[in-house]
Amino acid sequence: MRKTLGILTALTIGAMLLSCGGGAKQDEILIGEYGSLTGTTATFGQSTHNGLTLAVEEINNAGGVLGKKIKLLTEDDQSKPEEAATAVTKLITRDGAKAVIGEVASSRSLAAAPICQDNGIPMVSPASTNPEVTRKGDYIFRVCYIDPFQGEVLAKFAYNSLGLRNVAILKDVRNDYSVGLAQFFEETFVGLGGKIAATQAYSEGDTDFKAQLTALKGANPEAVFVPGYYTEGALIVKQARELNMTMPIIGGDGWDSSKLVEIGGEALNGSYFSTHYASDDTNYMVKNFVTKYKERYNETPDAMAALGYDAGLILCDAITRAGSTDGAAIRDALAATRGFRGVTGTISIDENRNARKSAVVIAVVDGKLQYKETIQP
Ligand code: PHE
């Protein structure tokens, strides 16, 4: 009997040790990251991870947070919402993460946010722009703007800067981000006096868009708006050109990837998309970040890299101000973030746990991304 109890006690203590931060040592603070390191939107996760890693290295080199080093533990969700939920559960319950960074894609943030909320673990999304994400609860934050603003920016850009009056939409119906952004674009564009010539749908993973494009062509639009991710976005532009559709094609931040031009090639010339920052911005914060990132990774950082970096810095700043790794204390400190000078702009968290920030419009010219304009909220 005594022996059994002894074994049981040993097992219980072992399980307890595992559940309270198996991944972190005494002198470390564990931060979890979940992202699409592989799958249909692999550059989203890879770029975020690179930017976040750079932030953590800098913080640790400068002495860490609350006298401890930050340990970053990363889980790949393979670009799938179900895997995002599993990844976050692992990071929280198996590893004992004190806070979580992720995701880029809104559908995956929406799948994981309720788990963070239920466990009282703050989640900071670097780049999910669908408004529903932070509505999942008071532990859910983001460091980017939201799609009602992005949709408005794009509609005004189309109507005012490009002088368009008649635009068609091709959206990804299985993607919360795409559906939302299409709706917000339409609301503003129609409100300004523009017309939506026609709307067609696709699903992520599709490779042939000729039927939808042919239908849109028949409606004779002056431009096509494609709120979706870079792989499909680039293929759509390519196939539109093959069908002799020469009008501007416009995207949102989901187009921001080095793969966009790689896949779309010359067909992309004359298209535009909105995003969170431009790497050729002459602002000192941007220049400094781009130089450091290029030294470390030998490539130009895209928007997710910059947002991953900012998300890491903001979370660590909040933990420092909280003076503790208690979930509620970190949450309160995140909510109190004001005027944080990040690479992607000055970040203040509003009462809905979103960031109010400017957006950037990029043009594709001669196969290169060119900064066009910045739009303030
Ligand atoms: N905003 C997109 C979403 O919510 C994700 C994204 C952000 C993609 C930034 C590229 C760049 O799904």
Side-chain angles (χ1 to χ4, degrees):
M1 185 67 192
R2 274 193 87 150
K3 202 167 175 199
T4 326
L5 263 183
I7 291 169
L8 275 180
T9 314
L11 282 175
T12 317
I13 292 174
M16 275 169 61
L17 281 175
L18 270 180
S19 65
C20 38
K25 297 194 209 104
Q26 273 297 308
D27 56 348
E28 288 174 341
I29 295 173
L30 192 74
I31 293 180
E33 177 198 16
Y34 69 108
S36 54
L37 296 174
T38 58
T40 48
T41 54
T43 71
F44 289 173
Q46 290 161 1
S47 292
T48 312
H49 180 68
N50 287 348
L52 182 54
T53 301
L54 193 62
V56 168
E57 283 173 4
E58 282 178 22
I59 287 162
N60 284 341
N61 288 339
V65 173
L66 307 178
K68 297 182 177 192
K69 295 278 170 176
I70 297 290
K71 182 171 177 200
L72 183 66
L73 204 62
T74 307
E75 284 283 328
D76 178 16
D77 62 29
Q78 304 157 36
S79 302
K80 296 176 187 157
E82 344 52 276
E83 292 296 329
T86 309
V88 159
T89 305
K90 275 190 204 158
L91 288 167
I92 296 174
T93 57
R94 180 196 63 190
D95 304 314
K98 300 297 182 199
V100 167
I101 292 195
E103 232 265 16
V104 169
S106 291
S107 296
R108 293 181 311 249
S109 288
L110 285 166
I115 297 160
C116 296
Q117 180 67 28
D118 290 349
N119 284 283
I121 296 295
M123 171 180 132
V124 180
S125 166
S128 285
T129 46
N130 185 281
E132 290 304 320
V133 172
T134 45
R135 290 186 190 140
K136 292 290 176 197
D138 61 350
Y139 279 82
I140 315 300
F141 295 84
R142 75 180 107 213
V143 299
C144 56
Y145 54 65
I146 56 175
D147 286 333
F149 170 66
Q150 180 167 218
E152 183 187 321
V153 161
L154 284 163
K156 286 185 176 164
F157 175 74
Y159 194 90
N160 298 326
S161 305
L162 299 180
L164 304 170
R165 296 294 177 265
N166 199 24
V167 173
I169 297 178
L170 181 48
K171 65 182 174 190
D172 178 350
V173 279
R174 285 182 52 211
N175 176 332
D176 294 297
Y177 154 78
S178 187
V179 171
L181 190 54
Q183 179 204 326
F184 301 124
F185 173 89
E186 179 165 348
E187 279 168 16
T188 305
F189 194 68
V190 170
L192 287 167
K195 213 184 122 220
I196 301 301
T199 301
Q200 286 285 320
Y202 69 92
S203 297
E204 189 170 350
D206 288 356
T207 51
D208 184 351
F209 306 92
K210 292 263 166 74
Q212 293 98 316
L213 286 167
T214 305
L216 294 181
K217 191 182 177 189
N220 221 359
E222 294 169 293
V224 183
F225 178 44
V226 183
Y229 295 149
Y230 60 90
T231 306
E232 291 82 12
L235 289 174
I236 286 168
V237 176
K238 244 177 132 167
Q239 292 173 20
R241 302 306 180 222
E242 284 162 23
L243 292 169
N244 284 323
M245 296 170 76
T246 55
M247 66 284 275
I249 302 185
I250 303 169
D253 59 350
W255 278 27
D256 197 324
S257 167
S258 56
K259 293 271 179 235
L260 181 79
V261 175
E262 215 177 289
I263 299 169
E266 286 200 351
L268 276 158
N269 290 338
S271 52
Y272 304 89
F273 63 93
S274 54
T275 187
H276 304 261
Y277 110 116
S279 60
D280 57 346
D281 192 326
T282 51
N283 169 288
Y284 141 86
M285 293 281 291
V286 173
K287 279 171 89 172
N288 188 21
F289 170 69
V290 171
T291 308
K292 284 187 299 197
Y293 191 96
K294 276 186 175 164
E295 267 169 25
R296 175 77 165 74
Y297 300 109
N298 210 11
E299 64 183 29
T300 305
D302 57 19
M304 278 78 54
L307 286 165
Y309 180 81
D310 281 353
L313 292 188
I314 284 194
L315 176 58
C316 290
D317 174 67
I319 299 174
T320 305
R321 282 184 289 108
S324 125
T325 55
D326 172 62
I330 299 173
R331 174 200 62 192
D332 292 345
L334 278 169
T337 303
R338 298 287 180 278
F340 186 94
R341 296 203 39 213
V343 172
T344 58
T346 301
I347 301 168
S348 294
I349 299 296
D350 70 15
E351 68 279 15
N352 300 314
R353 297 169 300 283
N354 303 320
R356 267 177 72 83
K357 287 162 78 186
S358 53
V360 167
V361 176
I362 307 258
V364 187
V365 182
D366 293 332
K368 293 214 165 56
L369 305 187
Q370 205 173 81
Y371 168 74
K372 192 94 181 117
E373 57 186 64
T374 299
I375 294 124
Q376 305 297 334

